[in-house]
Amino acid sequence: MKAAFRHLVRSRRRSILAAMAVVVPVWLLVLMLAMIGGMEQGLFASLTEYETGHLQVRAVGEGLAGGALPLILDPTPLLAAVEAGEAIAWYTLRLEAPALAASADRSLGVLVQGVRPEEAARISPLPGAVYEGRYLEADDDGVIVGEALLRSLGLSVGERVTLMGAHPRGGSGVTRATVVGAYRAPDPALERTLVQVDLGLAQRLVRTPGAITAVAGYVGDVDGPGDDWRISAAVAALQEALPPGYEALTWREVAPESAVLLRFMRPLVIGFMAAFFVLGGLVVLNTLSLSVLERTRELGIIRAVGAPRSWVMGHVLWEAGLLSLCGATVGAALGTGLVLGVQAAGGLPLPGAYQEGLAAFGVEPVLSLRITPLEVALSAMAMVAVGLVAAWYPARRAARLDPVETMRYDE
Amino acid sequence: MTSEVLIRASGLHKVYKTGQVETPALNGVDLEVPRGEFGGMAGPSGSGKSTLLHLLGALDKPTAGEVFLEGTAVSGQSEAALSSLRLHKVGFVFQAYNLIPVLTVLENTAFVLELQGVPPRKRENQALEILEELGVAQYKDQFPNRLSGGEQQRVAVARAVASGPSIVLADEPTANLDTKTSLDLIDLMRRLNQDHHTTFLFATHDTRLLDRVDRVVYMEDGKITRDDRRS
Ligand SMILES: Nc1ncnc2c1ncn2[C@@H]1O[C@H](COP(=O)(O)OP(=O)(O)OP(=O)(O)O)[C@@H](O)[C@H]1O
Ligand SMILES: [Mg+2]
């Protein structure tokens, strides 16, 4: 091992070049992972904070129409179970129902979302996305609509819109309400379909006072996707406590399309980065092959004086291991340093095109980086492992040198 | 000098194959080396001296014939067993580049002891003792390339004897040295032979060195043509 280290020091220039080929992939991987970590964090935050909550409780069964959620006529037993569970730190009620929104001459299918306005800042992005008028107040009789819907209906803020709800038994409820505010969202489909009202108004629309479609809950001590297990645990516990006919769902189950994105980003990037690691490995292989070739005579002597093949093999692998370890450590340190620097600066500002849309939707228009020490350590270790695997071939060749043969090429 | 046989070689043949070409290097060599002998081997270039030394030291296997090293038959042994045999019983000194350039003189000398598993303190003391005996202890922390050829060869001899081998096989150890340095090196080896009863066998082109040995084996065309004992 001592000899392996001194070899590296002796052929310094070559070692540094090879180590650099190891530094770069680790550095890049740490950055990429931090970027994904930041994006995952952002997605998780915007999804769970504004849309789904960490978990939801719903009734099992058919909804009012189409893909709508079934009504929970009396949430009392449900709320008792939610409140009894220690894991759930905060919850709010929601009523979502398909409806028709109409102006004097036009009508469109929309989704009416009844919320408690005083709690909505925590469960909806809309309070921050209102660009004209105001957001809802407690027991508000007004509605908040998207700019696209407003335009389609030919209405403006302050005018009245007719909402027609549906109920399987009671027929549709009809309400005329004032548009008190309009919002903009990055997703045009959302802007065209989501209409937000006070919970009471939504209940009148489905002609079922006191009804909801979901309880959205938040679990304590959850900072990001890494704490997902707490949510799963809370959902499992809650499922046990719920009366029959209800189900507890994690945010992943509530919004599977978005959850899928979170699941695929990381493997994709890791797969892509694997190519860089292979490249780094090839450089290690090349460096050690050269080094073995140069030392043919010396390795022959070592074998002649009685070192077993395994010693020679180990010697070359040590050299590869040290080389990769130094490079990987430097790469990990540089990567972590950059991540910490960006974090201290409050994230990287995103290009202008994204800024407005994201800002409008309450998401910070910066790219934040996030990485755990475990991820950094694993990145570095992966590179060392690749280096060792790459060194296998030259190490084996060194071990199989015939000492007599090496002695013939004397001077 | 009465004699337990340390190495016995009988009917040794060695043919090197390089692709289609076959080069006969040894054509039936019988040889006994008694323990404690200080022997020399002479003969023209290509006569098979190096080949014979390699076979005697379990560094290579004969095409036919057998080598017994302290009674152990060398043929049929695994690569690992041969390594171990060399490690514990044989010391090699070659013509040049014997030392590992990235290790100091002391580390080079202790290297074989390290392979044998001798603990660090003990092997350093042992190595230092031998270096002192060979008059090169003052270079113990130097790297080999800072030493003269003669000094390097002394360190090589030190390494060869440090592990307490049964025999030291030296292949033209003085080929790159001037006459005086050569004679000094042989004298040092002779002294080690007398003080430690280590058996030596060395090949050389230099007939002046042969005045100092117990026995000279002459080789020609892969055969022993003369075997002079002078004791
Ligand atoms: N590894 C090898 N492959 C092929 N031929 C070899 C090999 N080693 C030696 N020979 C051949 O075997 C014969 C004996 O060589 P050897 O090296 O034993 O002679 P030597 O007496 O040591 O010569 P020198 O005094 O030049 O060192 C020579 O013809 C040589 O070319
Ligand atoms: Mg020779």
Side-chain angles (χ1 to χ4, degrees):
Chain A
M1 187 208 147
K2 188 163 47 190
F5 179 70
R6 299 227 185 110
H7 269 300
L8 290 175
V9 174
R10 169 153 297 204
S11 36
R12 209 169 298 115
R13 188 171 311 164
R14 190 170 61 200
S15 300
I16 289 175
L17 277 177
M20 243 144 73
V22 171
V23 168
V24 173
V26 174
W27 180 75
L28 264 179
L29 181 61
V30 167
L31 280 192
M32 294 297 268
L33 285 178
M35 223 134 84
I36 293 178
M39 266 153 69
E40 278 178 351
Q41 176 70 19
L43 260 171
F44 175 84
S46 66
L47 195 65
T48 59
E49 280 172 28
Y50 294 143
E51 280 184 61
T52 60
H54 291 156
L55 57 88
Q56 287 194 8
V57 182
R58 296 172 174 178
V60 182
E62 283 292 302
L64 296 174
L69 298 173
L71 282 180
I72 300 167
L73 301 180
D74 177 14
T76 328
L78 200 65
L79 298 183
V82 170
E83 268 163 22
E86 288 158 25
I88 293 162
W90 189 84
Y91 69 87
T92 187
L93 305 180
R94 251 193 202 179
L95 172 54
E96 285 181 358
L100 221 54
S103 59
D105 53 355
R106 265 168 278 185
S107 72
L108 279 167
V110 296
L111 181 72
V112 170
Q113 192 178 61
V115 297
R116 290 174 162 165
E118 63 275 25
E119 292 170 1
R122 187 110 182 238
I123 187 69
S124 168
L126 296 196
V130 170
Y131 69 94
E132 192 186 344
R134 60 167 176 84
Y135 186 66
L136 300 170
E137 289 158 4
D139 299 320
D140 206 319
D141 283 328
V143 303
I144 300 291
V145 301
E147 185 185 20
L149 179 63
L150 206 60
R151 217 180 291 125
S152 299
L153 291 175
L155 292 173
S156 51
V157 173
E159 295 187 306
R160 288 164 81 81
V161 62
T162 306
L163 294 175
M164 277 166 277
H167 188 279
R169 281 168 290 136
S172 40
V174 180
T175 306
R176 273 171 69 74
T178 307
V179 177
V180 295
Y183 68 89
R184 287 196 188 107
D187 176 5
L190 189 85
E191 216 183 82
R192 209 161 34 242
T193 51
L194 184 67
V195 173
Q196 212 168 61
V197 301
D198 179 71
L199 187 60
L201 183 78
Q203 287 166 345
R204 288 202 297 284
L205 200 61
V206 297
R207 293 169 57 94
T208 318
I212 60 167
T213 51
V215 176
Y218 288 87
V219 175
D221 291 331
V222 172
D223 281 335
D227 299 319
D228 221 13
W229 61 274
R230 287 187 200 276
I231 298 175
S232 303
V235 164
L238 192 55
Q239 187 67 59
E240 290 290 305
L242 284 177
Y246 299 102
E247 57 182 354
L249 303 169
T250 65
W251 61 279
R252 285 182 191 277
E253 293 162 323
V254 174
E257 331 74 38
S258 308
V260 155
L261 187 65
L262 278 183
R263 192 166 311 152
F264 277 101
M265 233 160 29
R266 189 172 293 262
L268 216 71
V269 165
I270 289 177
F272 175 70
M273 287 307 301
F276 283 85
F277 275 64
V278 168
L279 229 70
L282 286 177
V283 173
V284 171
L285 189 154
N286 181 51
T287 303
L288 288 168
S289 293
L290 269 175
S291 154
V292 166
L293 201 68
E294 265 174 18
R295 285 186 282 146
T296 299
R297 164 85 193 185
E298 180 190 328
L299 292 170
I301 296 271
I302 287 173
R303 293 274 290 117
V305 301
R309 283 183 169 164
S310 56
W311 190 94
V312 173
M313 183 122 185
H315 173 76
V316 177
L317 288 179
W318 258 115
E319 205 174 319
L322 281 172
L323 191 73
S324 324
L325 188 66
C326 291
T329 307
V330 170
L334 288 179
T336 309
L338 191 54
V339 169
L340 291 179
V342 169
Q343 277 172 357
L348 287 176
L350 283 174
Y354 295 95
Q355 284 199 11
E356 229 172 283
L358 285 175
F361 218 53
V363 177
E364 289 245 31
V366 291
L367 179 63
S368 55
L369 301 180
R370 221 176 130 98
I371 192 149
T372 61
L374 181 70
E375 284 174 309
V376 175
L378 284 178
S379 306
M381 270 157 56
M383 189 66 245
V384 175
V386 169
L388 286 177
V389 168
W392 198 260
Y393 173 70
R396 229 179 79 111
R397 242 192 21 194
R400 284 171 181 256
L401 284 173
D402 177 2
V404 173
E405 201 54 51
T406 66
M407 234 61 87
R408 297 244 309 159
Y409 306 103
D410 257 13
E411 264 86 276
Chain B
M1 190 167 272
T2 56
S3 45
E4 174 202 345
V5 174
L6 182 68
I7 297 183
R8 198 175 83 232
S10 61
L12 283 187
H13 286 261
K14 179 71 184 180
V15 180
Y16 289 108
K17 285 195 195 83
T18 357
Q20 298 291 324
V21 189
E22 295 197 348
T23 318
L26 292 182
N27 302 308
V29 171
D30 300 292
L31 182 72
E32 285 190 358
V33 180
R35 189 183 291 282
E37 188 175 68
F38 192 70
M41 196 192 292
S45 189
S47 58
K49 303 183 296 294
S50 297
T51 304
L52 181 56
L53 286 178
H54 295 160
L55 293 184
L56 295 180
L59 192 56
D60 205 355
K61 291 182 180 180
T63 313
E66 184 60 280
V67 173
F68 296 93
L69 188 55
E70 289 191 322
T72 312
V74 167
S75 73
Q77 303 258 18
S78 70
E79 185 62 42
L82 290 182
S83 296
S84 167
L85 206 61
R86 294 198 295 271
L87 180 59
H88 293 98
K89 303 208 160 163
V90 184
F92 273 109
V93 178
F94 300 98
Q95 185 176 328
Y97 304 114
N98 276 288
L99 304 175
I100 303 169
V102 296
L103 297 183
T104 64
V105 163
L106 185 64
E107 287 162 351
N108 262 291
T109 312
F111 179 68
V112 180
L113 293 167
E114 189 179 345
L115 288 175
Q116 287 179 344
V118 178
R121 267 318 253 281
K122 195 169 165 217
R123 67 179 183 239
E124 276 187 22
N125 290 337
Q126 228 167 305
L128 203 57
E129 223 169 273
I130 304 280
L131 287 173
E132 265 158 18
E133 244 182 295
L134 285 160
V136 282
Q138 68 270 34
Y139 304 124
K140 68 184 173 71
D141 295 323
Q142 303 269 7
F143 288 96
N145 60 353
R146 303 290 301 273
L147 273 57
S148 72
E151 289 158 353
Q152 286 186 24
Q153 288 303 75
R154 286 192 200 190
V155 177
V157 171
R159 181 185 60 195
V161 296
S163 57
S166 308
I167 187 166
V168 173
L169 298 169
D171 194 355
E172 303 188 36
T174 62
N176 293 350
L177 307 179
D178 60 54
T179 311
K180 167 142 188 358
T181 321
S182 298
L183 290 173
D184 286 350
L185 189 73
I186 295 300
D187 287 343
L188 275 170
M189 282 164 55
R190 177 89 231 193
R191 222 175 56 218
L192 288 170
N193 164 254
Q194 278 160 356
D195 295 353
H196 300 273
H197 300 287
T198 311
T199 313
F200 280 81
L201 179 59
F202 67 92
T204 185
H205 283 290
D206 190 341
T207 47
R208 275 166 304 180
L209 303 181
L210 298 175
D211 297 341
R212 290 163 155 78
V213 299
D214 301 330
R215 172 195 191 183
V216 187
V217 175
Y218 291 95
M219 291 197 68
E220 220 164 302
D221 289 336
K223 282 191 185 129
I224 295 176
T225 50
R226 231 171 83 204
D227 192 346
D228 287 355
R229 279 168 197 278
R230 335 175 154 166
S231 45

